[in-house]
Amino acid sequence: MAQLTYREAVSRGIAQEMRRDPSVVFLGEDVAGAGGVFKTTTGLLDEFGPVRVVDTPISEQAILGAAMGAAMTGIRPIAEIMFSDFFAVCWDMVVNEIAKARYMTDGQVDCPLVIRTGNGGSVRFGAQHSQSVENWAMAVPGIKVVAPATAHDVVGLMAAAVRDPDPVLFFEHKALYATKEDVADGEILEELGRARVRREGSDCTIVALALMVPRALEAAEQLASEGIDCTVIDLRSLIPLDTTTILDSVQTTSRLFTVEENPQACGWGAEVASIVANEAFWDLDGPVVRITTPHLPLPASDVLEDLAIPSAERIADTIRKALD
Amino acid sequence: MAQLTYREAVSRGIAQEMRRDPSVVFLGEDVAGAGGVFKTTTGLLDEFGPVRVVDTPISEQAILGAAMGAAMTGIRPIAEIMFSDFFAVCWDMVVNEIAKARYMTDGQVDCPLVIRTGNGGSVRFGAQHSQSVENWAMAVPGIKVVAPATAHDVVGLMAAAVRDPDPVLFFEHKALYATKEDVADGEILEELGRARVRREGSDCTIVALALMVPRALEAAEQLASEGIDCTVIDLRSLIPLDTTTILDSVQTTSRLFTVEENPQACGWGAEVASIVANEAFWDLDGPVVRITTPHLPLPASDVLEDLAIPSAERIADTIRKALD
Amino acid sequence: MSGPSTDVDSPAPTARPGYGQHDPIYPEPFDDSLDHADIPIETRLELYRKQQEIRQLEQRLYDLFVQNLVKGTSHLALGMEASGAAFGVALNSDDYSFATYRGHGHTIARGVPPEPIIAEMLGRSTGLLGGKGGSMHLTSVEHGMMGSYAIIGAHLCIANGAAWSAKLRDSGQVAVAFFGDGATNIGAFHEAVNYAAVYELPTIFVCENNLYMEYTSIGQVTPVANPAADRASAYGIPSTTVDGNDADAVYLLAREAIEHARSGGGPSIIETKTYRHGGHSRADPGTYRPDDELEAWMAHDPIPMYHQRLLRIGVGERELTEIETSVAAAIDAATEAAKSAPPPDADALWTNVWADGGWQWRN
Amino acid sequence: MSGPSTDVDSPAPTARPGYGQHDPIYPEPFDDSLDHADIPIETRLELYRKQQEIRQLEQRLYDLFVQNLVKGTSHLALGMEASGAAFGVALNSDDYSFATYRGHGHTIARGVPPEPIIAEMLGRSTGLLGGKGGSMHLTSVEHGMMGSYAIIGAHLCIANGAAWSAKLRDSGQVAVAFFGDGATNIGAFHEAVNYAAVYELPTIFVCENNLYMEYTSIGQVTPVANPAADRASAYGIPSTTVDGNDADAVYLLAREAIEHARSGGGPSIIETKTYRHGGHSRADPGTYRPDDELEAWMAHDPIPMYHQRLLRIGVGERELTEIETSVAAAIDAATEAAKSAPPPDADALWTNVWADGGWQWRN
Ligand SMILES: Cc1ncc(C[n+]2csc(CCOP(=O)(O)OP(=O)(O)O)c2C)c(N)n1
Ligand SMILES: Cc1ncc(C[n+]2csc(CCOP(=O)(O)OP(=O)(O)O)c2C)c(N)n1
Ligand SMILES: [Mg+2]
Ligand SMILES: [Mg+2]
């Protein structure tokens, strides 16, 4: 048991799997020699060598194509897309090729690969390097979508993603890289599709993801001191989606709040809200409320970006007013 | 007043605007000499000549880049992306460039352009040529999203899109091209962001888009004969979204059904459902129900595709059971 | 190379004809000297058989369209059989092929039987993809046919992955990606060829240049004469152009490129000059093509030309007829079997989204 | 060109060093013969002034980072000033520039005053983009500076659009796209250059080859020596390489390429050989670069070399000092003004999503 940063957890998770399975390889831009632009993959080249840890040209389509073709033929690649915004330059590989290959071929083609990426804002990188695009991924049938909020989960969910026989998009949050927690020694393996209840409370259910988890927890602490007792669910993966945990909780609390970093329209919270508004309608005691980044591009200035992305204060305020 | 197909309406709409405004140009693959692979743009080359109607290489990024750069500098381009599935090969141009340019530059950059595309299924083209991706577009702040259901609306909304000072994605439905209706002579201009109530009924509100509109209307006819009286709202545009019309209707009917062709997760109906579950919660008499294509890639076989995409029967069944 | 040289390192573009117009391009004459090429007679008979298989399969599919039994779209390779056949013969059985939507021929050329192919076109449960993929996505992993891809360019990148995998596993396999002239203008082409060159991957890029995209002549939107081959220098890899309607010519190049790749020499580009007899897809009559161009290429049909070559080098007409009729019998039988197969079960909609066989995305 | 030739039309790839290793690349010696180039002295003084503006602006921004006044990331062009300055001088005021995230220099070189640039870096309301864009998106439409783009490749396609527009409007304008060596391996590069060639657009593609992507040497992932110039032949357009640290050399080529484009000759590629003095971005110490390579390039600094040239051709030291100090004074004043400007108003979050000034996406 030692303190581990979310950043260090990335290379620990990858190394754990590369040690276990010699068919796991890792590729991306500046990931080998330099250890990644976020220094998430330091040490991998030294341990596993240049055949398994590969620096690529700036060619995101070629990177994901290489990953897919290798996955189809017995290799288990982990590919890095440096910033999740860059999925836009290789989206075809994700949505039309990787996601659909198994179904289109009625099960002939396997695509066991992981695409990891730096996602999210609060880092003052501006509109083209700060997006939360996990909802883009969730909208595409055929890919699994994971977004850990803690160092432990980075390791355990990375392991689960690498071992999964299906393609997984693994969204690391850039603003969480520096956070740390105590993480057990030895192998860690979590399960995809299981949410984690991070706090139990009877007054409402807050569903959050990635950076929004610590913010929701902070808001819950604030509200607790005012006598409002919240459950906070860390979704951890969007596909598979653990609706059971959400529906069970709403049955108890009768109120649902989602906290999303993606811009509002068609965010994952809309999906969750629509499921609850259908399947738990009679459990609800009041409106389903979504707390999101407004539907606009992200500004670069710290002042403006902090206004855009849900803060603990905004979460607490919204819930306080709604439960009033 | 004469019968016009949805297909013919496309070239009529474009021609109307090209006649009106000499700065309107049109580009895409096989659109000029051949009149488009869906024969939607026949005659434009003859009328407007090769300077304004341009056949391009298979280079979707270059096409949208050309459109954007031209729009920034005084031209009003209409670009075609042949199948909406191909947005995946040029998604960066749409989401990171065109959608964000104005905001990132605090209003310096204008992007008055239209991207029209063949969207949707029921045409047995398989998983890579049948997608309904209007929800991909709706998820991106900074672009308007239009999807007409009738020939009249193709002309009128095309005109509105071309005249709009902001970028518009214009989703034509491939399975509607052969449909026709009487369309008035002379200039037609509709307004973006206004839904149209296609049928009024007091028992529930059905919100639909594009191909799902005639299917919802057919379902409503069926239900009417059984004594269930539905309102059918044709959204026509997702951004701007006419929530007023939806909320007003739900106030009357107390029940909401959405009919979406996109696969379920994060579809536009989720957004609509979440808005209603929040803002009209106290108006609702029962669960909000979404009728969607299941969350899976589209199969090619007619038998399977027809099972996947909501049919009038499935719509009617679902509503019948829900209101039982 | 430095300094303010005003030299033009590369030629200025030549003038191109205006929109919607283009100069006809005629085939080079069939190269009879290849009668004496170093290709065993059994190999040549195999090349003939595979060309016949492709031709007769495509003709049958065309007939089935006309009978309205094929739903959706479809893209035939009638007239373009030689290169698919040549690679089908030249590849080892565990090598990888990646094709486009125009991939029926590349599929049967890898030894995939005609019945599941035809059944897939008819949308039957016995189809190669259970009816889920359709005409544009034929795949048979067990035959090394790693898929048909309908969005231009992607599979060039994916083929690299299979080639990389072969290298990682030290298996000696190679990967071939077939694509059209039009595909050379999309970004993925550039990324893929560059990537293969950087890692010296055993990927063979085969551009089947049939002079047209869908309805637009490639010369109208491409500033070099050989859209694939003329770009190889941008990646420092070898390239060749070849009469794509001469199965022996393509076979010789294929053998060489495969050997080059298999022995660690890296990727290469082969550009075959060919022509489709029909339109781009079922709906297209192909009227944008100049009459005399079409005529010249119809006369440069790979199959009768190859038939003549075989006769010239001493194969008997009877042996050729036997091949033709046995292929015909196989296609007939496959058609009947496919036609009488049932449509997919409704349950099939819900299978094989995930490796567990199912589709569940939530609990 | 047809027939089964086994000729290799292009050279086989040369061996490249292994991962993480690369041979150092040294600058060519400064070309003193350009002292006598046909460039008026006022133009040269302008070239010197613009190089000073870029240098001093970037140094100031660096200082502001160190003081922790710049949030987010930032990419400096220290050492790379010559080409931005050369085009700044060579372009007409209504021509279009498109830059990358490493675009501060290209912005000031078009005549944008330093104050709004610095204010934008500091995230102030008076910033060029009101604080919304930040370091990577500097834009000043009124100066023809059509934006800085932070996703590799896109702006090459967008520059074509501006060039096309100029052609449609018959305005005689040209568009210049600046980009790095690393950008030449992305698909958008290929699509953009090809597209410009097909339509003979007045687009000038300027690759500022500083030998590195972020931390990876370009030679490690590119199979040709000149990643931009060596690819021009794939599009049939002219290209040149040039000492990117010699403002006169770049200026001569710029003038020529602009004239070529403006007069309807179409696009061209210029590849400048240059080097950044610091790391890729603020966080990067640049330690992946061999010491002697860095040393050689630090000695090949465009500004002292140009200073020496001006002295050699008879400009007085005093005149140069005057330029330097007047630039310094302007940067100082701009810094003070920017520092004392307020942060953006909260309302600014909600403005300029749409042309109506607002952000409403629903009623
Ligand atoms: C990215 C993308 N853009 C456009 C299309 C539509 N499309 C299908 S085939 C085709 C023409 C391809 O021409 P070519 O590469 O020469 O192949 P051919 O059909 O001639 O074999 C086009 C434009 C597509 N499938 N994918
Ligand atoms: C599509 C895309 N991939 C990756 C990146 C991340 N990235 C930013 S700068 C850079 C290196 C670019 O190198 P080069 O083109 O040589 O330009 P330089 O920074 O040297 O000026 C990379 C990989 C990006 N911004 N966009
Ligand atoms: Mg072709
Ligand atoms: Mg560089």
Side-chain angles (χ1 to χ4, degrees):
Chain A
M1 189 74 106
Q3 289 259 309
L4 193 73
T5 62
Y6 187 102
R7 181 192 316 282
E8 291 159 347
V10 174
S11 55
R12 176 162 155 194
I14 296 174
Q16 172 184 301
E17 295 307 298
M18 290 188 79
R19 276 177 215 130
R20 186 188 55 80
D21 179 350
S23 75
V24 178
V25 296
F26 175 49
L27 72 162
E29 294 162 16
D30 302 299
V31 299
V37 302
F38 299 114
K39 299 285 173 254
T40 45
T41 58
T42 319
L44 295 176
L45 175 65
D46 284 347
E47 180 170 356
F48 301 103
V51 170
R52 294 179 67 195
V53 180
V54 180
D55 275 325
T56 68
I58 305 176
S59 305
E60 279 81 3
Q61 296 183 78
I63 292 169
L64 295 193
M68 175 174 174
M72 289 167 74
T73 55
I75 301 295
R76 295 207 165 227
I78 305 172
E80 174 176 307
I81 296 298
M82 196 186 284
F83 287 72
S84 64
D85 315 69
F86 309 164
F87 271 126
V89 301
C90 52
W91 201 225
D92 179 54
M93 298 305 311
V94 177
V95 304
N96 288 326
E97 313 302 339
I98 291 168
K100 294 180 172 45
R102 182 183 298 278
Y103 190 78
M104 287 197 308
T105 64
D106 203 21
Q108 287 187 55
V109 167
D110 288 309
C111 263
L113 59 82
V114 177
I115 307 173
R116 46 174 293 271
T117 192
N119 191 49
S122 296
V123 285
R124 292 68 173 101
F125 281 173
Q128 293 186 335
H129 281 69
S130 305
Q131 288 168 94
S132 292
V133 305
E134 58 275 15
N135 60 327
W136 296 6
M138 188 182 187
V140 179
I143 41 179
K144 298 184 176 173
V145 183
V146 175
T150 70
H152 169 92
D153 276 359
V154 167
V155 182
L157 292 171
M158 177 68 76
V162 171
R163 296 178 200 193
D164 199 275
D166 287 306
V168 179
L169 263 53
F170 194 87
F171 289 93
E172 300 160 16
H173 201 292
K174 298 193 287 289
L176 288 173
Y177 279 136
T179 62
K180 51 178 122 182
E181 69 176 350
D182 278 333
V183 175
D185 301 328
E187 184 180 284
I188 298 181
L189 177 63
E190 288 284 327
E191 199 181 332
L192 301 187
R194 287 221 182 276
R196 175 158 288 180
V197 178
R198 298 258 176 217
R199 185 183 201 291
E200 297 230 44
S202 52
D203 293 330
C204 73
T205 301
I206 310 176
V207 181
L209 189 77
L211 179 65
M212 297 299 101
V213 174
R215 295 198 180 171
L217 286 167
E218 199 186 321
E221 286 309 309
Q222 227 170 283
L223 291 167
S225 71
E226 306 164 22
I228 300 175
D229 204 13
C230 310
T231 289
V232 176
I233 296 175
D234 174 0
L235 268 186
R236 308 204 300 171
S237 76
L238 294 177
I239 307 279
L241 182 70
D242 186 358
T243 42
T244 304
T245 297
I246 300 169
L247 293 167
D248 284 354
S249 175
V250 169
Q251 207 169 24
T252 314
T253 64
S254 303
R255 287 301 296 263
L256 175 72
F257 297 85
T258 62
V259 189
E260 295 160 76
E261 186 171 336
N262 52 231
Q264 180 179 336
C266 298
W268 61 259
E271 186 58 42
V272 168
S274 76
I275 290 172
V276 169
N278 182 0
E279 301 174 28
F281 181 79
W282 303 110
D283 293 327
L284 287 169
D285 270 358
V288 172
V289 177
R290 294 171 59 206
I291 300 156
T292 77
T293 295
H295 203 59
L296 36 76
L298 279 174
S301 121
D302 51 350
V303 179
L304 296 178
E305 193 183 30
D306 287 342
L307 286 169
I309 298 177
S311 61
E313 290 64 40
R314 174 141 72 96
I315 299 168
D317 272 2
T318 308
I319 295 174
R320 194 183 293 117
K321 280 192 196 117
L323 296 187
D324 208 20
Chain B
M1 190 75 108
Q3 288 258 310
L4 193 74
T5 62
Y6 188 102
R7 181 191 318 281
E8 293 159 346
V10 174
S11 55
R12 176 163 156 193
I14 296 174
Q16 173 184 301
E17 295 307 299
M18 290 187 79
R19 276 177 217 131
R20 186 188 55 79
D21 179 351
S23 76
V24 177
V25 297
F26 175 49
L27 73 164
E29 294 161 17
D30 302 300
V31 299
V37 302
F38 299 115
K39 299 285 173 257
T40 45
T41 57
T42 318
L44 294 177
L45 175 65
D46 284 346
E47 179 170 355
F48 301 103
V51 170
R52 293 180 67 192
V53 181
V54 180
D55 275 325
T56 68
I58 305 175
S59 304
E60 279 81 1
Q61 296 182 78
I63 292 168
L64 295 193
M68 177 175 172
M72 290 167 72
T73 54
I75 301 295
R76 296 210 163 223
I78 305 172
E80 174 176 308
I81 296 298
M82 197 185 283
F83 286 74
S84 64
D85 314 70
F86 309 164
F87 271 126
V89 301
C90 52
W91 202 226
D92 179 54
M93 298 306 311
V94 178
V95 305
N96 289 326
E97 314 302 340
I98 290 167
K100 294 179 174 44
R102 182 184 298 280
Y103 190 78
M104 288 198 307
T105 63
D106 204 18
Q108 287 187 54
V109 168
D110 289 310
C111 262
L113 57 83
V114 177
I115 308 173
R116 46 174 294 272
T117 191
N119 192 49
S122 296
V123 285
R124 291 72 172 97
F125 281 172
Q128 293 186 336
H129 281 68
S130 305
Q131 291 169 92
S132 292
V133 305
E134 59 274 15
N135 59 327
W136 297 5
M138 189 183 186
V140 179
I143 41 179
K144 298 185 178 174
V145 183
V146 175
T150 70
H152 168 94
D153 276 0
V154 167
V155 182
L157 292 171
M158 177 68 76
V162 171
R163 297 179 199 191
D164 199 275
D166 288 307
V168 179
L169 264 54
F170 194 87
F171 290 92
E172 298 160 18
H173 201 293
K174 297 194 285 293
L176 289 173
Y177 279 137
T179 61
K180 51 179 121 182
E181 68 176 353
D182 279 332
V183 174
D185 301 326
E187 184 180 282
I188 299 181
L189 177 63
E190 289 284 327
E191 199 181 333
L192 302 187
R194 288 221 181 278
R196 175 159 288 181
V197 178
R198 298 257 176 216
R199 187 185 199 289
E200 298 230 43
S202 52
D203 293 329
C204 73
T205 301
I206 310 176
V207 181
L209 189 77
L211 180 64
M212 298 298 101
V213 174
R215 296 197 181 173
L217 285 168
E218 199 186 321
E221 286 308 309
Q222 229 170 284
L223 292 167
S225 71
E226 306 164 22
I228 301 175
D229 204 13
C230 311
T231 289
V232 176
I233 296 175
D234 174 0
L235 269 185
R236 306 204 300 171
S237 77
L238 294 176
I239 306 278
L241 182 70
D242 185 359
T243 43
T244 303
T245 297
I246 301 170
L247 293 167
D248 284 354
S249 174
V250 170
Q251 208 171 20
T252 313
T253 65
S254 302
R255 287 300 296 264
L256 174 71
F257 297 85
T258 62
V259 189
E260 294 159 78
E261 186 172 336
N262 53 231
Q264 181 180 335
C266 299
W268 61 258
E271 186 59 41
V272 168
S274 76
I275 290 172
V276 168
N278 182 359
E279 301 174 28
F281 181 78
W282 303 111
D283 293 327
L284 288 168
D285 270 358
V288 172
V289 177
R290 295 171 57 207
I291 300 157
T292 76
T293 295
H295 202 61
L296 34 78
L298 278 175
S301 121
D302 51 349
V303 180
L304 296 178
E305 193 183 29
D306 286 343
L307 287 168
I309 298 177
S311 61
E313 291 64 40
R314 175 143 70 94
I315 298 167
D317 273 3
T318 308
I319 294 174
R320 194 183 294 116
K321 280 191 197 117
L323 295 188
D324 206 21
Chain C
M1 269 300 220
S2 80
S5 154
T6 59
D7 281 351
V8 165
D9 296 354
S10 40
T14 52
R16 279 178 307 284
Y19 293 87
Q21 298 157 24
H22 60 277
D23 295 329
I25 297 180
Y26 303 105
E28 302 276 322
F30 197 68
D31 183 358
D32 287 345
S33 78
L34 285 188
D35 289 4
H36 314 295
D38 172 28
I39 303 175
I41 188 74
E42 312 78 59
T43 304
R44 285 180 147 165
L45 291 172
E46 192 53 23
L47 285 167
Y48 188 65
R49 174 180 294 277
K50 284 202 190 288
Q51 289 184 84
Q52 279 291 342
E53 285 175 353
I54 301 173
R55 171 67 50 101
Q56 295 197 34
L57 172 68
E58 294 286 55
Q59 280 172 330
R60 178 57 47 86
L61 294 175
Y62 182 80
D63 294 343
L64 292 167
F65 301 150
V66 171
Q67 294 163 44
N68 212 17
L69 287 169
V70 178
K71 310 285 166 36
T73 184
S74 175
H75 308 78
L76 303 180
L78 286 168
M80 299 171 57
E81 296 87 351
S83 63
F87 274 88
V89 172
L91 290 169
N92 287 349
S93 67
D94 66 346
D95 287 330
Y96 299 120
S97 299
F98 292 80
T100 70
Y101 48 88
R102 199 182 301 289
H104 313 153
H106 301 296
T107 304
I108 198 167
R110 290 305 304 274
V112 179
E115 186 192 325
I117 298 176
I118 297 172
E120 186 64 30
M121 302 294 300
L122 301 180
R124 304 301 161 106
S125 61
T126 55
L128 194 55
L129 318 165
K132 279 177 180 160
S135 156
M136 297 204 282
H137 299 298
L138 298 183
T139 304
S140 181
V141 170
E142 73 171 291
H143 295 91
M145 172 60 199
M146 304 305 288
S148 304
Y149 297 79
I151 302 205
I152 304 280
H155 69 295
L156 281 70
C157 298
I158 303 168
N160 278 340
W164 178 38
S165 161
K167 219 173 153 172
L168 287 167
R169 290 179 288 104
D170 206 11
S171 68
Q173 294 157 292
V174 305
V176 184
F178 301 94
F179 55 97
D181 44 285
T184 63
N185 290 329
I186 201 159
F189 167 86
H190 177 65
E191 293 194 15
V193 182
N194 186 63
Y195 198 92
V198 168
Y199 301 106
E200 294 168 0
L201 299 178
T203 316
I204 299 148
F205 297 98
V206 181
C207 177
E208 297 179 325
N209 181 352
N210 59 13
L211 313 187
Y212 292 85
M213 299 160 45
E214 297 210 12
Y215 317 134
T216 303
S217 88
I218 189 66
Q220 195 184 315
V221 294
T222 311
V224 292
N226 303 296
D230 289 352
R231 277 140 175 191
S233 64
Y235 315 103
I237 65 167
S239 72
T240 40
T241 60
V242 63
D243 180 351
N245 288 7
D246 183 337
D248 283 342
V250 180
Y251 176 75
L252 288 171
L253 282 183
R255 208 166 61 177
E256 194 187 347
I258 291 168
E259 176 49 32
H260 181 76
R262 214 187 287 295
S263 62
S268 57
I269 295 177
I270 296 174
E271 179 173 331
T272 73
K273 303 295 189 179
T274 186
Y275 207 75
R276 45 176 157 74
H277 285 178
H280 166 73
S281 62
R282 61 184 306 189
D284 170 30
T287 51
Y288 41 84
R289 304 185 298 181
D291 288 343
D292 53 342
E293 182 185 89
L294 177 58
E295 218 166 275
W297 282 94
M298 291 303 286
H300 193 70
D301 186 329
I303 291 179
M305 291 191 307
Y306 202 74
H307 188 115
Q308 290 305 316
R309 170 173 290 154
L310 292 178
L311 295 180
R312 280 198 305 275
I313 65 174
V315 180
E317 183 72 64
R318 199 150 93 214
E319 195 168 352
L320 297 180
T321 307
E322 215 164 82
I323 291 175
E324 291 155 22
T325 53
S326 81
V327 169
I331 299 281
D332 283 343
T335 307
E336 286 321 303
K339 273 178 161 175
S340 61
D345 220 74
D347 291 351
L349 181 67
W350 310 98
T351 60
N352 288 323
V353 176
W354 305 121
D356 67 9
W359 79 289
Q360 290 300 339
W361 58 278
R362 49 164 291 203
N363 59 10
Chain D
M1 267 301 220
S2 81
S5 154
T6 60
D7 281 350
V8 164
D9 296 353
S10 40
T14 53
R16 279 179 306 284
Y19 292 87
Q21 298 158 24
H22 59 275
D23 295 329
I25 297 180
Y26 304 105
E28 301 277 322
F30 197 68
D31 183 357
D32 286 346
S33 78
L34 285 188
D35 290 3
H36 315 295
D38 171 29
I39 303 175
I41 189 73
E42 311 77 59
T43 303
R44 285 180 147 163
L45 290 173
E46 191 53 22
L47 285 166
Y48 188 65
R49 173 180 295 276
K50 284 201 190 289
Q51 289 184 83
Q52 278 292 343
E53 285 175 353
I54 301 173
R55 171 68 51 100
Q56 294 197 34
L57 172 68
E58 294 287 54
Q59 281 173 330
R60 177 57 46 88
L61 294 175
Y62 183 80
D63 294 342
L64 292 168
F65 301 149
V66 172
Q67 295 162 44
N68 212 17
L69 286 170
V70 178
K71 309 285 165 37
T73 184
S74 174
H75 309 77
L76 302 182
L78 287 167
M80 299 171 58
E81 295 87 351
S83 63
F87 274 89
V89 172
L91 290 168
N92 287 349
S93 67
D94 66 346
D95 287 330
Y96 299 120
S97 299
F98 292 79
T100 70
Y101 49 87
R102 198 181 303 289
H104 314 154
H106 300 297
T107 304
I108 198 168
R110 290 305 304 274
V112 179
E115 186 192 326
I117 298 176
I118 297 172
E120 187 63 31
M121 302 294 299
L122 300 181
R124 305 302 162 106
S125 61
T126 55
L128 194 54
L129 319 166
K132 280 177 180 160
S135 156
M136 299 204 280
H137 299 298
L138 298 183
T139 303
S140 181
V141 170
E142 72 170 290
H143 295 91
M145 172 62 198
M146 304 305 288
S148 304
Y149 297 79
I151 302 205
I152 304 281
H155 70 294
L156 281 70
C157 297
I158 303 167
N160 278 340
W164 178 37
S165 160
K167 220 173 151 169
L168 287 167
R169 291 179 287 105
D170 206 11
S171 68
Q173 294 157 291
V174 305
V176 183
F178 301 94
F179 55 97
D181 44 286
T184 63
N185 290 329
I186 202 159
F189 168 85
H190 178 65
E191 293 194 15
V193 182
N194 185 64
Y195 198 93
V198 168
Y199 301 106
E200 295 170 356
L201 299 178
T203 316
I204 300 148
F205 297 99
V206 181
C207 177
E208 297 179 324
N209 180 352
N210 60 13
L211 312 187
Y212 292 85
M213 299 158 45
E214 298 211 10
Y215 317 134
T216 304
S217 87
I218 190 66
Q220 194 184 316
V221 294
T222 312
V224 291
N226 304 295
D230 289 354
R231 278 141 174 189
S233 65
Y235 314 103
I237 65 167
S239 71
T240 40
T241 60
V242 64
D243 181 351
N245 287 7
D246 183 337
D248 283 342
V250 180
Y251 176 76
L252 289 171
L253 283 182
R255 208 166 60 176
E256 194 185 349
I258 291 167
E259 177 48 33
H260 181 77
R262 213 187 289 293
S263 62
S268 57
I269 294 178
I270 296 174
E271 179 174 331
T272 73
K273 303 294 189 179
T274 185
Y275 207 76
R276 46 176 157 73
H277 285 178
H280 167 73
S281 62
R282 60 183 306 190
D284 170 29
T287 52
Y288 40 85
R289 304 186 296 181
D291 288 343
D292 54 343
E293 181 185 271
L294 177 58
E295 218 166 275
W297 281 95
M298 292 302 286
H300 194 69
D301 185 331
I303 291 177
M305 291 192 307
Y306 203 74
H307 188 115
Q308 289 306 314
R309 171 173 289 153
L310 290 179
L311 295 180
R312 281 199 303 278
I313 64 172
V315 180
E317 184 72 65
R318 194 142 103 215
E319 194 168 352
L320 297 179
T321 307
E322 214 162 82
I323 290 176
E324 292 156 21
T325 53
S326 80
V327 169
I331 300 282
D332 282 344
T335 307
E336 287 322 302
K339 274 178 160 176
S340 61
D345 219 74
D347 290 350
L349 181 66
W350 309 98
T351 60
N352 288 324
V353 175
W354 306 120
D356 67 9
W359 79 290
Q360 290 300 339
W361 58 278
R362 48 164 292 203
N363 58 10

